[in-house]
Amino acid sequence: MTKAIIGISSFKETAGELHALAAAMDSGKELAPADYRLNFATAAQLFAELTPKRMELLDTLKRTGPQSVYRLAKTLGRNYSNVHSSVARLIELGLIAKDEENNVLVPWDDIEIHIALSGSKAA
């Protein structure tokens, strides 16, 4: 099963994970198939990129399968140019892909969003 895991991670945390992965590879360890990871520096950045409209688009595309951007816009009942812009950004982020017929699709079996809010104290 292929998964896209979206989360919040500082550069320091991401660098540490990549260093550990490189060390495992250098030691000859066989690595398990990797999930696709997309990390943002802050929750605000994550929510600026994955807006409610883009999340609805991803959900609809996942449920309805590969299709043209035009058809997707019709399915969503949204303006073509807005859907096209969102699709282009989601392709840049690696959450959507295009097939041989130039249809867009979600290439992941699952998409998970992990957000941990810690360090806050109750009043």
Side-chain angles (χ1 to χ4, degrees):
M1 176 184 332
T2 59
K3 244 193 285 191
I5 300 172
I6 303 165
I8 301 167
S9 180
S10 70
F11 178 77
K12 184 177 179 180
E13 291 168 326
T14 301
E17 290 172 10
L18 291 173
H19 185 327
L21 179 61
M25 291 172 65
D26 287 346
S27 71
K29 267 190 176 177
E30 187 172 329
L31 303 175
D35 293 319
Y36 174 70
R37 295 194 179 266
L38 176 63
N39 287 317
F40 295 94
T42 65
Q45 186 183 23
L46 185 153
F47 292 124
E49 292 289 347
L50 298 179
T51 63
K53 293 283 188 188
R54 287 182 181 168
M55 293 300 295
E56 176 189 25
L57 186 155
L58 275 171
D59 182 55
T60 299
L61 188 56
K62 180 73 179 140
R63 284 185 293 102
T64 58
Q67 58 197 283
S68 68
V69 176
Y70 178 81
R71 181 172 165 222
L72 180 59
K74 287 287 189 193
T75 300
L76 290 166
R78 292 179 48 203
N79 177 283
Y80 172 84
S81 63
N82 292 338
V83 172
H84 185 272
S85 295
S86 287
V87 164
R89 184 60 183 143
L90 292 168
I91 287 172
E92 289 174 11
L93 293 172
L95 297 173
I96 289 180
K98 287 189 175 185
D99 65 14
E100 314 77 52
E101 290 89 36
N102 213 29
N103 289 320
V104 292
L105 60 103
V106 177
W108 311 108
D109 294 323
D110 289 311
I111 297 177
E112 298 177 1
I113 299 176
H114 297 186
I115 301 174
L117 300 176
S118 59
S120 62
K121 296 181 181 182

